[in-house]
Amino acid sequence: MESQRLLDDGCDVVGLDNLNEYYDPSLKRARLAQLTPRRSFRFIKMDLVDRAGMATLFKSERFEIVLHLAAQAGVRYSLTNPFAYVDSNLVGFANILEGCRHNGPRHLVFASSSSVYGANAKMPFSVRDNVDHPISLYAATKKANELMAHAYAHLCGLPCTGLRLFTVYGPWGRPDMALFLFTARILEDKPIDIYNYGNMRRDFTYIDDVIECVVRVMERVPQPDPCWDAGGAMPGSSSAPYRIYNIGNNNPENLMHVVGILEMNLGKKAKVNLLANQAGDVPATHADVSELARDVGFQPRTPLEVGVERFVRWYRSFYKV
């Protein structure tokens, strides 16, 4: 959907994906089918870990802006498949940074995650807070991405902006995300699992709001912060051309409330299993988006009720339910 927006804005877009089977590739191909008819869009099937292929791609394309949203996602999957995260999120990101280093785009924008806040207890989560205690390997790789990008911003003058995304949902989303899973299982009359005995709160962020934020950030190339103080612990900015932003709705919702909204839109009651918290999960997320609103003049604001209704409408249409 990000590519669709950029194409609508008149940009030439080169999309890259390996179309792996982490989740149903048919959904990925259906997304791609929305883009391939567009004259200004080209798709390249490649894995980020292909060092030679990535180097050739960057050299031939000479991208003006690089928007890096590819990664091995998911907290729980990282508990059983750690090397998938090392390959995609560390090796793959290193290939992105090297491609940028040698071919000079004016801005690298990359996806981080709210998971980097890990064991932090202070709410809301702020980019001014230190994030030194990740509680999953996924979170650790995303924190590593931020550090790697900062090193390249400092050493090579590469302008980098990291986006800590908070529970993105909406049409065409990932099937391993809670809203997607709950919808599928409720419609199939199967029980849904809710961890921490229902005491889970997430800052659900609707996809259209995320896209608007990303587009605005792409055009705001970071400059060294003249107020940055090495002794003052300012993790969200730097003396290098580097910034970090939270992208969240600034309104955490209890998962049981989300289930209630889904039940209303689906016309069916959910069968709920309340379970203990899982390793790697945090009980709550809440985004402080003040820096984002200040710098790009926008913050996510789609109410959960509106976003869920749009998602359910898309789900019924796509899966013909």
Side-chain angles (χ1 to χ4, degrees):
M1 293 181 74
E2 182 69 50
S3 294
Q4 193 80 55
R5 166 62 185 274
L6 293 172
L7 291 167
D8 290 344
D9 287 350
C11 299
D12 293 326
V13 177
V14 176
L16 182 138
D17 200 313
N18 65 1
L19 300 178
N20 67 24
E21 296 186 359
Y22 170 64
Y23 61 83
D24 185 4
S26 66
L27 177 59
K28 301 178 182 183
R29 289 192 290 269
R31 290 194 200 114
L32 187 57
Q34 305 293 307
L35 301 172
T36 48
R38 302 290 295 267
R39 181 175 301 175
S40 298
F41 178 80
R42 289 187 297 111
F43 174 69
I44 297 172
K45 184 179 180 182
M46 187 186 298
D47 197 306
L48 295 174
V49 302
D50 181 350
R51 185 187 302 178
M54 292 292 289
T56 299
L57 174 69
F58 272 83
K59 185 177 181 179
S60 62
E61 296 293 342
R62 298 285 178 175
F63 300 113
E64 180 183 359
I65 295 175
V66 175
L67 176 59
H68 175 53
L69 303 178
Q72 178 57 62
V75 168
R76 291 166 191 163
Y77 190 68
S78 70
L79 304 179
T80 55
N81 295 275
F83 288 105
Y85 293 77
V86 173
D87 292 341
S88 291
N89 300 5
L90 300 181
V91 176
F93 191 59
N95 288 336
I96 292 283
L97 290 169
E98 278 294 289
C100 291
R101 173 191 178 189
H102 292 292
N103 297 281
R106 65 184 179 91
H107 196 185
L108 167 62
V109 179
F110 66 95
S112 184
S113 168
S114 61
S115 297
V116 300
Y117 289 102
N120 288 20
K122 183 178 76 67
M123 294 283 179
F125 294 149
S126 169
V127 297
R128 298 181 295 277
D129 300 335
N130 286 312
V131 286
D132 294 333
H133 299 89
I135 60 173
S136 70
L137 179 64
Y138 169 66
T141 64
K142 287 303 190 178
K143 166 68 171 176
N145 286 171
E146 294 181 2
L147 296 175
M148 293 162 72
H150 184 270
Y152 275 72
H154 175 74
L155 293 170
C156 311
L158 172 64
C160 296
T161 301
L163 307 176
R164 293 176 179 168
L165 302 173
F166 282 69
T167 315
V168 180
Y169 75 101
W172 300 102
R174 283 187 6 235
D176 61 322
M177 297 293 281
L179 196 70
F180 209 119
L181 284 170
F182 291 173
T183 299
R185 295 189 72 83
I186 291 171
L187 287 172
E188 294 167 0
D189 290 316
K190 295 179 179 178
I192 61 175
D193 294 336
I194 297 185
Y195 297 95
N196 205 31
Y197 302 108
N199 298 311
M200 299 285 281
R201 299 167 72 235
R202 290 291 181 268
D203 205 337
F204 286 88
T205 316
Y206 188 64
I207 183 61
D208 288 2
D209 287 342
V210 173
I211 290 170
E212 181 62 32
C213 291
V214 171
V215 168
R216 295 191 184 204
V217 167
M218 287 170 64
E219 292 302 322
R220 193 179 193 282
V221 179
Q223 303 296 321
D225 184 351
C227 299
W228 192 79
D229 176 8
M234 298 167 65
S237 64
S238 174
S239 59
Y242 174 88
R243 291 292 183 280
I244 293 290
Y245 293 110
N246 286 335
I247 297 185
N249 214 38
N250 193 30
N251 185 29
E253 301 276 3
N254 187 282
L255 281 190
M256 296 305 297
H257 177 56
V258 177
V259 172
I261 298 172
L262 269 177
E263 290 174 330
M264 181 180 66
N265 280 276
L266 295 171
K268 297 187 71 171
K269 292 291 290 181
K271 302 172 184 177
V272 177
N273 292 328
L274 296 179
L275 304 172
N277 206 27
Q278 281 210 146
D281 278 355
V282 297
T285 63
H286 182 184
D288 178 346
V289 294
S290 54
E291 283 81 6
L292 179 76
R294 178 197 67 202
D295 290 350
V296 305
F298 181 83
Q299 66 184 61
R301 53 191 173 212
T302 300
L304 187 64
E305 292 77 6
V306 173
V308 170
E309 189 276 331
R310 291 174 183 170
F311 169 75
V312 169
R313 193 180 338 129
W314 169 84
Y315 187 97
R316 287 189 180 280
S317 174
F318 183 76
Y319 289 103
K320 297 178 173 57
V321 179

